[in-house]
Amino acid sequence: MKRYKVLTQKDKWFSGKFDPQNLENAINAYAEQGWRVIGCATADIGGFGSGRQEFITIMERDE
């Protein structure tokens, strides 16, 4: 059985602001728990009067 995790900028690692170093730190920390990156993408998030792009990382591990 596989489990999946989705990391976004709302994850505790980013404090709402994207930083590539924080992403690397998060991926390495999750890798120590057996997670591996299987994909990534950006998403356009609409908002009141403005929108933003968010980086999404998809991870999986065997259970």
Side-chain angles (χ1 to χ4, degrees):
M1 175 195 255
K2 302 232 184 253
R3 294 199 47 114
Y4 297 91
K5 178 177 288 296
V6 177
L7 294 178
T8 68
Q9 287 167 237
K10 292 183 179 181
D11 192 88
K12 66 180 180 178
W13 290 95
F14 299 106
S15 301
K17 182 179 178 186
F18 179 77
D19 179 341
Q21 185 62 52
N22 288 345
L23 176 60
E24 183 177 329
N25 294 342
I27 290 171
N28 286 327
Y30 283 118
E32 290 177 5
Q33 299 172 28
W35 294 95
R36 69 180 183 271
V37 173
I38 61 167
C40 58
T42 58
D44 292 320
I45 310 296
F48 295 107
S50 66
R52 61 184 169 85
Q53 267 199 334
E54 188 162 315
F55 190 80
I56 300 167
T57 304
I58 302 164
M59 305 179 84
E60 80 173 0
R61 73 175 178 187
D62 295 321
E63 284 290 308

